[in-house]
Amino acid sequence: MFRTFAAVFLAAITAGCASAGAGTPPLRGHYYWGHEVEAFHPCGSKQAFWVVGDAALLQPLRDKVTKVSHDQGKPYVPIYVEASGVVEKKATDGFAADYDGVYRITAVQVVDSISPPDCQVHD
């Protein structure tokens, strides 16, 4: 299943790069952050990816999750994001090993506490 998602993702990147000339198209989904969790769940997928990236890029996402979690009075509340990045191979150790792969976020285009109707959180 990871190979299917990765193949579709890589095809989208290739098509996006060919038509746009540069950059990678964003993936839409939910970002989770908390104690020992930093994950991205793409819309329409049952997969989950450990998130890595520059601290300056990820800190605003962490801050937003912290605020939303505080406002709702519960931990690990996801936020909706559209982010560009690269899917990397599955980690072999640490918390990241429990995920389908690693998603290295390189740019964030959209951050929202409310998900659009076609990308709802499924527990």
Side-chain angles (χ1 to χ4, degrees), residues 64-74 77 113:
K64 179 75 170 183
V65 168
T66 300
K67 181 183 181 330
V68 172
S69 292
H70 179 266
D71 291 349
Q72 292 187 20
K74 54 186 175 180
V77 175
S113 58

Side-chain angles (χ1 to χ4, degrees), residues 46-67:
K46 293 183 187 232
Q47 294 183 304
F49 295 86
W50 185 258
V51 170
V52 297
D54 292 337
L57 184 66
L58 297 179
Q59 193 58 50
L61 299 178
R62 295 169 182 156
D63 293 345
K64 179 75 170 183
V65 168
T66 300
K67 181 183 181 330

Side-chain angles (χ1 to χ4, degrees), residues 6 8-28 40 57 82-88 103-110:
V8 169
F9 181 71
L10 291 174
I13 288 173
T14 302
C17 288
S19 63
T24 57
L27 270 183
R28 302 167 61 240
F40 179 78
L57 184 66
E82 293 179 15
S84 299
V86 178
V87 175
E88 298 179 351
Y103 188 45
R104 180 170 301 279
I105 294 178
T106 57
V108 177
Q109 292 80 18
V110 175

